[in-house]
Amino acid sequence: METKGKALVTGASSGIGRETALRLAREGFQVIAAARRKERLEELAKRSPNIVPRPVDLSDSQALDDFSRELLNLSEPVTVLINNAGFSLRGALEDVSLSSIKSLFEVNLFALIKITQACLPWMRRLRKGTIVNLSSIVGKFPFPTSGPYSATKHAVEAITDALRMEVRPFGIRVVTIRPGMIGTEFNETANRLTGDLLSRTDPDYKPVYQTYGAGMAKLFTNVSIPGPELIADLIVEAVLSDSPGAVYAKGPFVKELLGERLRLDDEGFYRLMMEKTGLKGLIVE
Ligand SMILES: NC(=O)c1ccc[n+]([C@@H]2O[C@H](COP(=O)([O-])OP(=O)(O)OC[C@H]3O[C@@H](n4cnc5c(N)ncnc54)[C@H](OP(=O)(O)O)[C@@H]3O)[C@@H](O)[C@H]2O)c1
């Protein structure tokens, strides 16, 4: 098959990134699959001769510098960039350390910026390229206990919106992907990194976590959580399109909640979220 060019997918060792790498390889792209877990990437590369594993820890500034230099000097440059690597931490603001919030920003935002900066010079020279940035429904409004993660995705939204306008004159397309809850390793990783919140929080917060947990469990009763294929298909649709949309959003409650966010004012949306999350009636004496 004739190659369609070089693609880079970050966070390709699992979930949405893995499925996207496989689909792009199937479409004829030469895919650089980047993430930390080398064995996972090597296993993925066995699935297609078009996939090349590139182990890298995006939170390691030296490794990120080396990777960026490598991208700038590729003989065949990256013309499709999928900035997908990311993770979450949970907790009320008082329960999340500043250092762990910084590590969230390192991967979810600063690595995305650095890698984009490394790919842009070639895309500009070639007057073509597609950059797809993974945001989230929480990139437009946060849920309680997801403030820091939501902040990284709000920042991704802003960077992506500005970049779209800056590089459109060079024929470079920039797309935001806004998933709702998707069944990947994402939640498991967030739980592992967060640890047991209830055992370490101040007793004041216990009813907040418990009520919110029950509220979310109720909200998601009988809701089936889609797999990563749903979002990988959207990403590939955007990449293959002659004129991709600015934003693609999919997942449980995504259309409904983003619609309400546009329809209601700040006060109204805050009230709706307190109701949806079960926190509306909670007073801690
Ligand atoms: N799943 C959801 O509900 C959901 C909803 C909205 C948005 N999203 C966004 O979608 C994207 C993909 O998430 P997913 O659901 O597919 O989660 P996932 O299965 O946990 O995959 C996350 C990927 O990011 C990589 N990664 C994390 N830290 C890294 C680091 N320091 N260096 C390099 N790679 C790193 C992981 O690889 P290694 O661990 O091997 O490094 C993994 O390949 C993320 O940006 C996430 O914020 C997910």
Side-chain angles (χ1 to χ4, degrees):
M1 189 193 280
E2 194 190 324
T3 173
K4 284 205 175 119
K6 190 160 277 178
L8 165 60
V9 180
T10 68
S13 62
S14 75
I16 295 167
R18 182 177 190 279
E19 289 303 316
T20 304
L22 283 170
R23 279 162 172 69
L24 290 175
R26 215 177 294 142
E27 289 294 335
F29 290 92
Q30 293 291 324
V31 181
I32 303 171
R36 286 168 302 184
R37 284 170 293 177
K38 190 167 175 246
E39 335 68 59
R40 289 281 197 100
L41 297 176
E42 282 167 354
E43 179 272 327
L44 183 65
K46 285 192 192 133
R47 304 273 307 267
S48 166
N50 284 354
I51 297 180
V52 177
R54 176 53 168 97
V56 60
D57 181 351
L58 298 175
S59 67
D60 175 337
S61 65
Q62 184 60 55
L64 186 56
D65 278 351
D66 294 346
F67 187 39
S68 300
R69 215 168 304 114
E70 193 178 302
L71 292 171
L72 279 166
N73 294 316
L74 283 174
S75 53
E76 187 195 357
V78 168
T79 50
V80 171
L81 168 60
I82 316 295
N83 279 312
N84 163 80
F87 70 101
S88 177
L89 292 169
R90 304 214 173 83
L93 193 64
E94 275 192 78
D95 283 335
V96 192
S97 70
L98 188 58
S99 64
S100 62
I101 296 175
K102 284 181 179 168
S103 73
L104 259 188
F105 272 87
E106 289 294 347
V107 176
N108 294 6
L109 182 68
F110 300 138
L112 174 151
I113 292 173
K114 179 92 179 165
I115 287 174
T116 305
Q117 287 172 334
C119 293
L120 275 170
W122 264 116
M123 290 187 183
R124 215 170 9 81
R125 251 170 264 157
L126 295 170
R127 297 286 191 257
K128 71 167 187 181
T130 306
I131 299 170
V132 178
N133 289 345
L134 268 287
S135 174
S136 164
I137 186 175
V138 305
K140 292 314 272 183
F141 57 85
F143 281 78
T145 78
S146 81
Y149 171 68
S150 307
T152 68
K153 294 300 186 181
H154 273 65
V156 166
E157 291 268 348
I159 291 286
T160 311
D161 284 348
L163 183 68
R164 182 178 304 117
M165 296 185 276
E166 292 157 9
V167 299
R168 181 69 193 84
F170 314 124
I172 302 169
R173 304 110 47 94
V174 180
V175 175
T176 306
I177 303 285
R178 216 177 269 159
M181 191 185 280
I182 303 295
T184 64
E185 293 171 23
F186 182 80
N187 273 324
E188 205 180 296
T189 305
N191 289 340
R192 177 171 47 80
L193 294 173
T194 301
D196 187 356
L197 270 174
L198 280 179
S199 71
R200 66 181 158 88
T201 194
D202 186 278
D204 268 357
Y205 278 109
K206 282 191 177 157
V208 176
Y209 288 131
Q210 283 160 343
T211 308
Y212 173 61
M216 293 309 280
K218 194 170 157 212
L219 188 66
F220 280 90
T221 309
N222 298 327
V223 174
S224 71
I225 305 299
E229 303 79 15
L230 181 80
I231 304 303
D233 284 343
L234 272 190
I235 295 171
V236 174
E237 182 189 324
V239 169
L240 296 180
S241 165
D242 286 336
S243 110
V247 180
Y248 293 72
K250 244 186 192 171
F253 304 117
V254 164
K255 287 245 147 53
E256 174 196 334
L257 286 176
L258 289 173
E260 294 291 12
R261 187 64 196 97
L262 289 175
R263 193 177 67 79
L264 296 168
D265 63 9
D266 289 344
E267 193 67 34
F269 191 72
Y270 155 67
R271 290 218 188 94
L272 176 81
M273 288 298 281
M274 288 299 274
E275 205 172 299
K276 292 252 181 229
T277 56
L279 290 173
K280 188 179 167 198
L282 181 67
I283 302 289
V284 179
E285 303 288 353

